[in-house]
């Protein structure tokens, strides 16, 4: 068994389970939100409505499972990056670390994009400022995802330019070797002038 196979067996069931719980809590919170927000009772001494407390508790639960999903996916991405870098030719030392970082940044950006429906949905449940926070969170997720893709793209572009230069050197070397082994073209004998 490989390290990546072990990590998949360990992390993938947890990721699926945490995503299922996250989706379930989000779905329940969306259904009960209108009824809970209509609760007018206030907790004595705290001046916090019961509805707000219930919604805040649901948001904390959803955040817990969202963070658990992100941690498990990043752990899985770390092992996958190790495996990919192990098979990549010409990648050694700091370049390997950069390539691993790029792979993890791409995975994190994709996870953030996949979790986008949940975070604004969670924040929208908050009374009064929920819609504003949901809009801000969408723009924040988009900005962070684009920044992660940009950073990963710069690393991958640098590595790809190195590979293409190496391929060009190999092809040019083979062509030069072929040219050196080819016999020189025969020069035509000079013509004698007719008298």
């Amino acid at each position: 068994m490989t390290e990546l196979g072990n990590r998949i067996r360990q992390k993938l069931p947890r990721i699926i389970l945490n995503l299922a719980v996250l989706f379930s809590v989000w779905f329940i919170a969306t259904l009960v939100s209108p009824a809970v927000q209509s609760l007018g009772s206030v907790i004595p001494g705290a001046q916090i409505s019961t509805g707000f407390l219930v919604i805040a508790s649901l948001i904390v639960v959803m955040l817990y499972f969202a963070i658990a999903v992100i941690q498990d996916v990043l752990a899985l991405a770390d092992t996958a990056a190790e495996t990919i870098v192990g098979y990549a030719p010409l990648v050694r030392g700091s370049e390997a670390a950069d390539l691993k970082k790029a792979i993890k940044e791409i995975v994190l950006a994709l996870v953030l994009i996949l979790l986008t429906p949940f975070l604004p949905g969670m924040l929208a449940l908050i009374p009064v400022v929920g819609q504003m926070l949901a809009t801000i969170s969408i723009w924040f997720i988009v900005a962070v995802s684009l920044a992660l893709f940009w950073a990963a793209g710069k690393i991958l572009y640098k590595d790809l330019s190195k590979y293409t230069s190496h391929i060009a050197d190999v092809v040019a070397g083979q062509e030069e070797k072929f040219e050196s082994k080819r016999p020189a073209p025969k020069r035509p004998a000079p013509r004698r002038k007719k008298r």
Side-chain angles (χ1 to χ4, degrees):
M1 274 190 284
T2 63
E3 185 181 351
L4 180 59
N6 286 336
R7 189 58 68 96
I8 289 171
R9 285 185 183 89
Q10 179 187 8
K11 297 291 183 183
L12 191 59
R14 285 173 46 180
I15 291 170
I16 294 169
L17 184 63
N18 287 336
L19 275 174
V21 172
L22 176 63
F23 178 76
S24 301
V25 174
W26 172 77
F27 185 71
I28 290 168
T30 305
L31 287 179
V32 301
S33 173
V36 168
Q37 286 181 5
S38 65
L39 295 175
S41 57
V42 176
I43 297 171
Q47 298 302 318
I48 298 173
S49 70
T50 309
F52 179 79
L53 191 62
V54 170
I55 290 172
S57 302
L58 289 171
I59 289 172
V60 168
V61 171
M62 286 187 280
L63 282 175
Y64 172 80
F65 285 103
I67 290 169
V69 167
I70 291 172
Q71 286 177 335
D72 286 338
V73 167
L74 286 180
L76 193 57
D78 193 36
T79 308
E82 289 274 347
T83 304
I84 292 168
V85 168
Y87 285 109
L90 306 174
V91 177
R92 299 291 174 264
S94 64
E95 293 170 348
D98 287 345
L99 189 56
K100 287 180 207 170
K101 181 182 174 192
I103 292 169
K104 286 173 70 173
E105 285 174 344
I106 290 170
V107 169
L108 181 58
L110 291 173
V111 168
L112 285 175
I113 290 169
L114 290 174
L115 291 177
T116 300
F118 295 108
L119 184 60
M122 288 188 285
L123 295 175
L125 298 174
I126 298 173
V128 183
V129 294
Q131 289 295 53
M132 183 182 69
L133 290 175
T135 306
I136 291 170
S137 71
I138 289 172
W139 287 108
F140 178 76
I141 289 171
V142 168
V144 170
S145 299
L146 287 175
L148 288 170
F149 279 128
W150 179 261
K154 284 198 312 187
I155 293 170
L156 293 176
Y157 182 82
K158 183 180 74 172
D159 288 346
L160 282 174
S161 65
K162 179 189 168 192
Y163 287 129
T164 54
S165 297
H166 178 72
I167 290 168
D169 287 342
V170 169
V171 171
Q174 291 298 322
E175 194 277 332
E176 289 165 354
K177 193 187 296 184
F178 176 75
E179 285 291 326
S180 66
K181 290 182 179 179
R182 200 166 72 174
K186 294 182 180 179
R187 292 184 180 176
R191 293 183 182 178
R192 293 184 181 179
K193 292 183 181 178
K194 291 183 180 179
R195 291 186 179 182

